[in-house]
Structures are given as C-alpha cells and as structure tokens.
Amino acid sequence: MKTLGELSSLLRQAKDRLALPVVSMSRESGLTAVTIRGVLAGKSDPRLSTLMTIAEQLGLEVMLLPKAMAASIAAKPPAEEEIQSLVAAALARQGDKP
C-alpha cells in the first residue's frame, strides 16, 4: 500500500464487509464520526493513533513490514492454512525464547 487512497479503500472494504455503521464505530472508539468518515473517504491524513483505533474497530492490525515481504504478500495472497501455519510457527518461536 503506497497511497492514502489505497489505505482508505482497504479500510472501507473492511467496514463494508462487517456492515459496521460509522456511528457505532464512533461510539465504541471515542473518535468522532467526522474523523472516521474523513479517513474512510481518504480526505484526511490520520494520525497513527487514529489509524490504529479505526483498524482495531475493523478487526485489523497496523503493521510495518520490510518492502520485500510486502511485495511478496501483494503478489500472492497466502491461503488461510498458510497463514495459520506461519502464526503457529511464530508462536512456537516465541515459546522457545527464555
């Protein structure tokens, strides 16, 4: 994702998939409906904390990835089973740390 438009499009898609009204998002998050609508429309450049709050409402996580990893994910979305195995492997690695 390289533009604010791409970001807002992804957020709108998640919101639409959940059929989540902006008013509900506002009530639950403490953000104003105007702020949420501006971010979803791509008309405002949100602070990181605002983006994280909206992402949380939509069941998303804000992450920073190395560009090479992001490019490979964009090229081929992983299957759900592949994601689950990657998560399991990461959790196992965390369990191995002292």
Side-chain angles (χ1 to χ4, degrees):
M1 167 174 18
K2 295 182 180 186
T3 68
L4 192 54
E6 290 173 326
L7 173 64
S8 64
S9 177
L10 289 171
L11 294 173
R12 274 193 317 275
Q13 289 171 18
K15 178 194 163 301
D16 293 345
R17 191 173 40 255
L18 295 171
L20 192 59
V22 170
V23 174
S24 296
M25 291 176 67
S26 175
R27 190 174 333 130
E28 294 292 322
S29 69
L31 298 172
T32 67
V34 170
T35 297
I36 295 170
R37 284 188 188 102
V39 172
L40 294 175
K43 296 187 182 210
S44 67
D45 190 356
R47 293 186 331 203
L48 180 57
S49 59
T50 300
L51 176 59
M52 291 169 67
T53 299
I54 291 173
E56 174 71 24
Q57 290 288 303
L58 300 174
L60 301 172
E61 186 73 35
V62 176
M63 296 177 65
L64 297 175
L65 300 172
K67 284 186 176 188
M69 182 181 282
S72 69
I73 290 171
K76 176 192 157 252
E80 187 171 334
E81 302 81 31
E82 185 179 353
I83 293 171
Q84 289 174 353
S85 68
L86 290 171
V87 169
L91 290 172
R93 284 192 302 273
Q94 288 293 335
D96 292 342
K97 293 183 180 179

